[in-house]
Amino acid sequence: MVLDLNKCLGCHTCSVACKKMWNTDEGTDYAYWNNVETMPGKGYPARVHDPDTAGRNLAGETKRGQLPGLDTGYGRAWKFNHKDVLASTGRETKEWLRPTEEVKWGPNFDEDQGEGVYPADNHYFYLPRLCNHCTHPACLDACPRSAIHKRQEDGIVLVDQDKCHGYRFCVEACPYKKIYYDHVRQVSSKCIFCLPRVEEGVAPACARQCPGRLRFVGYRDDQEGPIWKLVEKWQVAIPLHPEYGLGPNVFYVPPMSPPKLDEQGRETTEPRIPLAYLESLFGPAVQPALDVLLAERAKTKRGETSELMDLLIAYNWHDNFKLAPGLREVLA
């Protein structure tokens, strides 16, 4: 999958589509197989982008990772004053809905916060995340029960929950923290890339429901498909945290940035999103990718054609998905 971060609206439709389909049971209440983070930010679970939490060091070597806590990592569901609000109907003073406890953390807790000083250099962007279905999955390596396997036919990584004993070594090992522990059933669970849909040639729910048309789905070796063109041909789609050496198979078109303003409010040549920050997420391939995007965008401004810009704009949304010859996704 490729996600164009220049088109993400931060609407969370992908997260809702995924959660309603796959994890609404008790025990999966804090699990978001797909979530959207505001960056710069702590992510979800908190500190997920901190190398100290990962099961790999920056050289790609194995180390002991950290388990996110329910209070500090994921955040428990807050209690609200629903009864007080309902009982205040008709009263002179309206009672507003508010938490009845101190709120500390949760999904999207730092949404739209970002960094910088308005209006000179304030900035943020949205980062949707799902399991990267890595070429060398850390979760698979860490499982002593051989309960995790990677399908040869499409690379999807799955958990056999009949074998899983809930040791949570997989959660410690995954640097992306995209494998969750179901504390009710006491087994691990994760994104299955909407396997039943993919086997029917239908894109995953997060991609199919995305109103921003930012997601592309297909096979990396299909030279007629969008994934090969964006990753291999144009090399504008790059993986998240490549430094861990796991070979993530979800790629991102990095966010382009408006310029900073000087003291007189005039545009400078310096981008608002620091390159060093983007490189901390996507590695050294960021600048070459941005250079290609800027060059191709300039071509279209001059009235020239650009295969890359046409592909990213997604004039024909059906071209975003290329899973099988009998593609059912094209049905209106």
Side-chain angles (χ1 to χ4, degrees):
M1 181 182 290
V2 169
L3 299 90
D4 183 356
L5 299 184
N6 295 290
K7 298 170 70 179
C8 185
L9 310 170
C11 65
H12 303 281
T13 302
C14 51
S15 301
V16 175
C18 175
K19 193 159 184 61
K20 291 296 290 182
M21 176 168 287
W22 294 115
N23 42 48
T24 57
D25 295 336
E26 185 181 2
T28 63
D29 42 0
Y30 69 92
Y32 285 86
W33 289 1
N34 181 100
N35 70 298
V36 181
E37 299 165 0
T38 295
M39 305 302 290
K42 292 182 180 179
Y44 185 82
R47 297 181 60 230
V48 62
H49 301 285
D50 183 343
D52 289 341
T53 68
R56 291 285 195 281
N57 62 23
L58 297 182
E61 299 169 334
T62 303
K63 69 177 181 65
R64 191 70 182 263
Q66 295 180 10
L67 283 175
L70 269 178
D71 291 308
T72 58
Y74 298 111
R76 297 179 189 271
W78 308 331
K79 295 179 180 178
F80 288 84
N81 59 335
H82 291 104
K83 291 183 179 179
D84 295 339
V85 172
L86 292 173
S88 71
T89 302
R91 292 180 182 175
E92 185 175 344
T93 302
K94 173 66 177 177
E95 184 71 29
W96 297 102
L97 187 67
R98 57 176 59 89
T100 57
E101 58 189 319
E102 182 185 1
V103 294
K104 299 178 180 177
W105 186 252
N108 313 318
F109 194 84
D110 53 0
E111 187 172 59
D112 291 0
Q113 183 172 309
E115 288 187 357
V117 179
Y118 179 83
D121 61 357
N122 59 304
H123 62 274
Y124 62 79
F125 63 92
Y126 299 114
L127 178 68
R129 293 204 306 116
L130 64 156
C131 171
N132 289 301
H133 296 277
C134 300
T135 301
H136 310 290
C139 57
L140 186 154
D141 290 344
C143 180
R145 295 281 302 170
S146 298
I148 299 177
H149 68 281
K150 184 175 177 67
R151 292 188 6 141
Q152 294 299 316
E153 55 268 47
D154 50 25
I156 294 175
V157 178
L158 301 173
V159 178
D160 183 342
Q161 295 184 327
D162 290 331
K163 289 185 176 180
C164 179
H165 275 206
Y167 298 146
R168 286 174 279 184
F169 294 138
C170 53
V171 184
E172 288 186 41
C174 177
Y176 304 100
K177 294 294 179 268
K178 270 302 173 187
I179 190 161
Y180 296 87
Y181 177 66
D182 183 331
H183 57 85
V184 174
R185 299 174 57 233
Q186 299 186 357
V187 293
S188 292
S189 69
K190 65 180 292 301
C191 161
I192 59 173
F193 209 74
C194 283
L195 175 61
R197 296 168 64 100
V198 169
E199 288 190 330
E200 294 294 326
V202 180
C206 59
R208 182 63 179 81
Q209 298 299 322
C210 174
R213 300 187 178 189
L214 64 98
R215 298 191 184 226
F216 300 81
V217 182
Y219 300 101
R220 286 189 65 179
D221 58 355
D222 178 7
Q223 297 191 10
E224 300 301 319
I227 306 302
W228 183 85
K229 291 180 180 177
L230 293 169
V231 175
E232 308 293 346
K233 180 180 180 180
W234 289 99
Q235 298 184 6
V236 296
I238 51 182
L240 180 66
H241 294 305
E243 66 271 21
Y244 296 130
L246 303 177
N249 287 299
V250 172
F251 299 86
Y252 295 90
V253 178
M256 303 171 80
S257 176
K260 287 184 179 180
L261 303 179
D262 63 17
E263 294 179 352
Q264 285 73 44
R266 296 171 299 195
E267 293 184 354
T268 69
T269 58
E270 188 176 358
R272 293 196 180 200
I273 306 175
L275 177 63
Y277 177 71
L278 291 178
E279 288 180 337
S280 73
L281 295 176
F282 303 107
V286 172
Q287 186 62 68
L290 290 174
D291 289 343
V292 172
L293 291 169
L294 290 169
E296 291 301 307
R297 187 176 68 175
K299 284 173 60 177
T300 60
K301 285 185 176 180
R302 295 194 299 267
E304 302 173 25
T305 59
S306 168
E307 178 199 43
L308 176 59
M309 288 296 109
D310 287 349
L311 180 59
L312 290 175
I313 290 170
Y315 288 113
N316 185 354
W317 183 45
H318 298 145
D319 292 341
N320 285 29
F321 313 122
K322 194 168 186 301
L323 287 166
L327 196 63
R328 297 187 185 183
E329 189 66 48
V330 299
L331 297 177

